[in-house]
Amino acid sequence: MIKTDILIIGAGPTGLFAVFEAGLLKLKCHILDALPQAGGQLSELYPKKPIYDIPGFPEVLAGDLVDNLMEQIKQFEPGFTLGERAETIEKQEDGSFIVTSNKGKKFHAPVVAIAGGLGSFEPRKPLIEDIEFYEDKGIKYFIKNPEKFRDKRVVIAGGGDSALDWSIFLSNIASEVTLIHRRNEFRGALDSVEKVQELKDSGKIKMITPAEVVGLNGAEHLESIDIEENGAHRTIETDYFIPLFGLTPKLGPIGDWGLDIEKNAIKVNNALDYQTNIPGIFAIGDVNTYPGKLKLILCGFHEATMMCQAAYQIINPGKKYVLKYTTVSGVDGFDGTRKEAPKAVVKAIV
């Protein structure tokens, strides 16, 4: 049994920042996440893509933001259980909770903060025969390490930002990049569309539109794909096929915990502290919904801050907390470290 003050379900940016805000209040956190590494979607889907709306960072790579958040919370020594999914929750007589993972591990905390992003998201897979056989044998739904495709032949299918951005990125890594879309029109950022057009004209990207991938070939791993183009069929040799058709978000077992759910998101009280209909259980970040909700990382940071203030009152009933700015109070880590601004020196000027 792992005991902690706040059990955070989800190791995305909102969940990670909640550790920092809880640490300022002397509250310990443990993070549970089904993914094998911290960072949520930032690490799983687009670690090399820049983010432009994080305060104080004109531009920061998603993976670098995760690294910075991990460095920021290191002094508060959070526990991590990765690669396990929150399965069941039981409320105890004292109002605390025991959460059990899909691997049988148990976590006991007076406060549970669900920061699960979009939930357990799954890629939208094209309806192609035997596609499951080739998964991890040439078919990839996510690009985690672009170097894996160096000097390889890559076929990307899709018509949105992800398909465009990765076609551009891999054009400087792969030996051959082919972009296939069922329409001639692409729905993405204008500069990305124009960049792909430029790379197509220069011969760095092959474009096949309108077309669809209809078959996969190879005995042990993917060797070629069959496409249908204007009613005709042809085969293209390739090392990798990357269909980028978006994600299907699912709450998973959390959806059976008795929480108020609206359109696959958890309803919360945004007027106060982002608590759910079950006292002691909060939902922060993309997983929650309320009037005016914006699915932005910076909004998740705010929600995490307010949640921690409410969690403090649950864990320390009747105890008043006086908010102090870190510029004044400094930051005391659980590891014995202290960060503080230089003390002012009183000295006469003569």
Side-chain angles (χ1 to χ4, degrees):
M1 182 84 72
I2 294 175
K3 294 188 177 183
T4 188
D5 292 322
I6 304 176
L7 175 65
I8 300 173
I9 300 173
T14 296
L16 294 177
F17 188 68
V19 174
F20 177 79
E21 288 297 320
L24 295 179
L25 301 170
K26 310 300 183 187
L27 302 178
K28 289 282 288 185
C29 294
H30 192 94
I31 296 182
L32 171 65
D33 197 295
L35 295 176
Q37 73 283 318
Q41 296 178 63
L42 275 66
S43 298
E44 185 74 4
L45 301 183
Y46 49 92
K48 299 297 183 182
K49 290 188 73 173
I51 303 173
Y52 300 104
D53 60 354
I54 302 299
F57 289 92
E59 176 181 335
V60 60
L61 294 181
D64 290 344
L65 178 59
V66 173
D67 291 342
N68 290 343
L69 287 165
M70 290 292 285
E71 179 65 25
Q72 186 178 27
I73 66 175
K74 183 171 63 175
Q75 61 193 317
F76 294 125
E77 300 180 321
F80 283 91
T81 298
L82 302 175
E84 296 188 32
R85 183 182 65 241
E87 197 78 15
T88 63
I89 190 167
E90 301 171 76
K91 191 161 189 174
Q92 307 303 295
E93 289 185 4
D94 63 355
S96 63
F97 302 91
I98 292 179
V99 173
T100 304
S101 77
N102 62 316
K103 295 185 179 179
K105 193 172 291 181
K106 293 184 181 295
F107 308 85
H108 186 202
V111 172
V112 173
I114 302 170
L118 294 174
S120 56
F121 47 85
E122 299 176 2
R124 291 193 177 97
K125 302 179 182 181
L127 299 176
I128 304 174
E129 188 176 354
D130 295 329
I131 192 168
E132 287 83 8
F133 173 79
Y134 292 103
E135 291 173 356
D136 291 326
K137 300 176 184 176
I139 288 185
K140 298 288 182 184
Y141 300 109
F142 306 118
I143 299 177
K144 299 178 186 177
N145 179 17
E147 282 298 316
K148 188 179 184 71
F149 306 100
R150 183 165 293 280
D151 300 326
K152 302 294 185 180
R153 298 166 299 179
V154 177
V155 173
I156 294 175
D161 281 315
S162 291
L164 292 166
D165 291 347
W166 282 119
S167 295
I168 295 168
F169 193 92
L170 292 179
S171 67
N172 293 315
I173 294 176
S175 62
E176 180 180 288
V177 175
T178 302
L179 178 58
I180 297 175
H181 185 38
R182 61 175 180 253
R183 301 186 184 91
N184 291 318
E185 299 80 20
F186 288 83
R187 186 183 297 275
L190 179 60
D191 59 338
S192 297
V193 176
E194 292 177 343
K195 181 64 176 177
V196 168
Q197 179 70 60
E198 178 186 315
L199 291 169
K200 173 181 177 290
D201 294 342
S202 65
K204 293 204 70 176
I205 289 179
K206 295 182 179 180
M207 185 91 70
I208 305 177
T209 58
E212 274 189 272
V213 177
V214 295
L216 307 167
N217 311 298
E220 300 296 330
H221 55 83
L222 186 67
E223 297 174 3
S224 65
I225 61 171
D226 298 326
I227 67 170
E228 182 177 303
E229 181 184 10
N230 295 320
H233 286 74
R234 65 177 169 124
T235 300
I236 299 175
E237 293 185 352
T238 188
D239 299 303
Y240 289 98
F241 172 46
I242 309 172
L244 298 173
F245 299 138
L247 300 170
T248 301
K250 294 181 179 179
L251 276 177
I254 290 174
D256 300 322
W257 286 6
L259 301 166
D260 282 345
I261 308 293
E262 181 180 285
K263 295 181 179 178
N264 208 49
I266 302 170
K267 294 176 70 174
V268 295
N269 174 9
N270 68 303
L272 188 60
D273 53 18
Y274 304 96
Q275 198 159 188
T276 67
N277 60 301
I278 300 178
I281 300 180
F282 299 77
I284 53 177
D286 287 356
V287 76
N288 74 16
T289 187
Y290 52 83
K293 169 69 179 181
L294 294 176
K295 293 182 182 293
L296 296 172
I297 294 173
L298 60 93
C299 294
F301 289 166
H302 162 77
E303 294 167 12
T305 305
M306 300 302 291
M307 178 277 294
C308 288
Q309 295 289 323
Y312 181 87
Q313 295 302 324
I314 292 174
I315 297 168
N316 301 287
K319 188 175 180 180
K320 187 177 180 181
Y321 172 74
V322 179
L323 176 67
K324 294 181 180 179
Y325 302 113
T326 55
T327 50
V328 175
S329 65
V331 177
D332 291 306
F334 298 157
D335 57 0
T337 60
R338 177 169 174 78
K339 296 178 180 177
E340 61 181 331
K343 299 292 185 184
V345 176
V346 179
K347 186 177 180 180
I349 298 176
V350 295

